[in-house]
Amino acid sequence: MTEASSRPSDNYAPLYFLTSLGSGGLSVSFFMWLMHWTKHPGRSVPVFEDIVASFSAGGAGVRVMIVLAVAGIAFYAFLNIKYLLWNLARFRQWKLTPAYAQLCSSNAETQLLAMPLALAMTVNVCFILGMVFVPGLWSVVEYLFPMAVLTFLAIGVLAFRMLGNFMGRVMTSGGFSCAGNNSFAQALPAFALAMIGVGLAAPAGLSAAPLMAGTGLVLSTFFLIAAALIAAIALVLGIRSLAENGANIETAPTLSVFIPLLTIIGILSLRQNHGLDEHFGLTGGGAERLMMLSQYLSAQLLFALLTGLVLCRLGYVAKYVTGRETSVSSYALVCPGVALAVMIHFWLNRGLVDAGLIAKFSLGYWTISALAVAIQMVTAWLVFILNRKHFRAA
């Protein structure tokens, strides 16, 4: 057996796009450090100039934090783009095999939506790279927003074409197996559409031009509603099949897909609310954000408890994470860790702090922040373990 053939990743599946997605999410999680722990007056996000000013004026602790954050952003952005390009090349070859036709005639056809999901994440990561590493970006950001909107719309068209092929087939010819739907795998299209929506919401939260902000509001709302409807259907269908047939150990990690979905919807809502407040004066303050984020976080914790219960009963971690067995579905466990870490940062800073319940940089503040960082580090360890298992020769 050759070295190449001994790699699990040589048995390609579209879910390998989650390798790129997870690394992109970790890059975003390091950006949370800069966003919430450095000063960026007059802007809702830090840019190169703000980071340099904070580094120059800060003490040793601040400088170490900034160095680690910038290094983390760069490293995981590199992995994000590396694995995206690898997946696109492998996907092009895989489409010519019988495995592609077989997948497109089964429930698993929705796995193809992992591609637009990863593409949308990479666009978001590139925007973060620009803010962190490109001097003077904010002076031309208004010219970048229309390009970003068009890019996300193109990805959205790709996603709807893939989803349309699946929906058109099962709605006209049938063939959808309810017994084989004993997971939340069918929520992946909702995740992809939400990721596109959060990208389209960026102008709503960041643009100073009312027309651009309004465009972002309208377009992101369309993708938000589409994601919510598909997620609701997937949840009902999945719960019914799970209760009747029990969980399949290989697809069990998809039970956690609603955790990252809720974080994306939460960020999308924050961006929309910021745009409404800045340009139209239509939203409330910190108390309203605290309630909204608390509701999202509560739902995430419930899904985390459900996922943890099922995975423990099945012995999933001992078999597929720390054990010798491999499954590409294991990468679905990366996104929930990233999502919880990011949501806790927003819940703390845009909820508890803005509502006046916790003082920024107090002991309570750092205690909650430490929880978010701990989840982030465990997720980084998981990515390391999975990449070593799937991409290194046995």
Side-chain angles (χ1 to χ4, degrees):
M1 181 178 291
T2 65
E3 179 179 317
S5 63
S6 63
R7 295 188 182 112
S9 57
D10 281 324
N11 186 21
Y12 185 75
L15 286 182
Y16 271 114
F17 276 103
L18 299 183
T19 60
S20 173
L21 178 72
S23 295
L26 280 170
S27 184
V28 173
S29 70
F30 278 101
F31 182 71
M32 292 294 101
W33 297 12
L34 300 177
M35 183 170 180
H36 299 299
W37 299 343
T38 64
K39 295 180 180 180
H40 37 93
R43 285 183 283 264
S44 55
V45 292
V47 296
F48 176 84
E49 289 77 11
D50 300 316
I51 298 167
V52 171
S54 294
F55 186 86
S56 301
V62 172
R63 293 185 176 187
V64 170
M65 179 274 293
I66 291 176
V67 169
L68 290 176
V70 170
I73 290 168
F75 176 71
Y76 285 106
F78 167 76
L79 291 184
N80 166 258
I81 296 171
K82 170 188 173 182
Y83 285 121
L84 178 68
L85 295 176
W86 177 86
N87 270 281
L88 291 173
R90 292 300 306 273
F91 182 83
R92 190 180 303 111
Q93 299 170 357
W94 177 76
K95 281 189 69 175
L96 304 177
T97 68
Y100 173 75
Q102 183 179 358
L103 180 135
C104 290
S105 61
S106 68
N107 289 13
E109 186 177 3
T110 52
Q111 291 182 11
L112 297 177
L113 272 293
M115 177 196 285
L117 173 60
L119 288 170
M121 171 59 86
T122 299
V123 176
N124 286 315
V125 167
C126 288
F127 198 74
I128 288 176
L129 289 175
M131 289 189 292
V132 174
F133 294 104
V134 180
L137 180 73
W138 204 253
S139 63
V140 297
V141 72
E142 294 296 342
Y143 299 100
L144 300 178
F145 284 136
M147 297 170 56
V149 167
L150 291 175
T151 301
F152 280 114
L153 285 178
I155 299 172
V157 170
L158 173 64
F160 272 112
R161 285 184 62 185
M162 291 178 168
L163 182 60
N165 289 336
F166 171 74
M167 295 292 291
R169 175 175 63 82
V170 300
M171 291 295 183
T172 57
S173 304
F176 183 81
S177 172
C178 290
N181 188 43
N182 52 342
S183 68
F184 291 157
Q186 296 305 318
L188 183 62
F191 191 8
L193 295 178
M195 185 67 74
I196 296 166
V198 78
L200 289 168
L206 300 175
S207 178
L211 178 60
M212 193 70 251
T215 301
L217 282 168
V218 172
L219 293 175
S220 62
T221 297
F222 173 79
F223 282 89
L224 170 63
I225 297 302
L229 289 174
I230 293 170
I233 295 170
L235 179 62
V236 173
L237 290 176
I239 286 288
R240 180 199 177 281
S241 183
L242 282 164
E244 181 177 352
N245 304 291
N248 181 304
I249 187 170
E250 285 207 40
T251 59
T254 64
L255 297 179
S256 65
V257 70
F258 284 93
I259 299 174
L261 175 61
L262 286 165
T263 290
I264 295 302
I265 291 177
I267 297 173
L268 192 159
S269 300
L270 286 174
R271 288 177 171 180
Q272 288 189 335
N273 289 345
H274 183 78
L276 287 169
D277 185 48
E278 285 291 315
H279 297 287
F280 309 105
L282 297 178
T283 63
E288 181 181 293
R289 288 194 296 273
L290 174 62
M291 287 303 301
M292 178 187 71
L293 292 173
S294 295
Q295 290 164 0
Y296 287 143
L297 181 59
S298 297
Q300 287 179 307
L301 293 176
L302 291 171
F303 279 111
L305 289 172
L306 172 64
T307 304
L309 173 65
V310 174
L311 293 183
C312 285
R313 290 287 185 94
L314 295 173
Y316 186 90
V317 173
K319 185 174 183 180
Y320 288 105
V321 178
T322 59
R324 297 183 61 85
E325 297 290 329
T326 59
S327 171
V328 65
S329 297
S330 299
Y331 279 99
L333 295 175
V334 175
C335 298
V338 170
L340 276 176
V342 171
M343 178 58 84
I344 290 171
H345 279 297
F346 277 110
W347 177 67
L348 172 61
N349 290 276
R350 300 307 311 277
L352 293 174
V353 172
D354 285 0
L357 294 181
I358 286 184
K360 191 155 190 174
F361 303 141
S362 64
L363 177 61
Y365 179 92
W366 286 120
T367 300
I368 298 174
S369 296
L371 175 61
V373 173
I375 296 172
Q376 178 185 358
M377 293 301 107
V378 171
T379 306
W381 168 83
L382 177 61
V383 168
F384 172 77
I385 293 296
L386 292 179
N387 285 351
R388 185 174 63 179
K389 290 183 68 173
H390 284 262
F391 290 94
R392 292 186 183 180

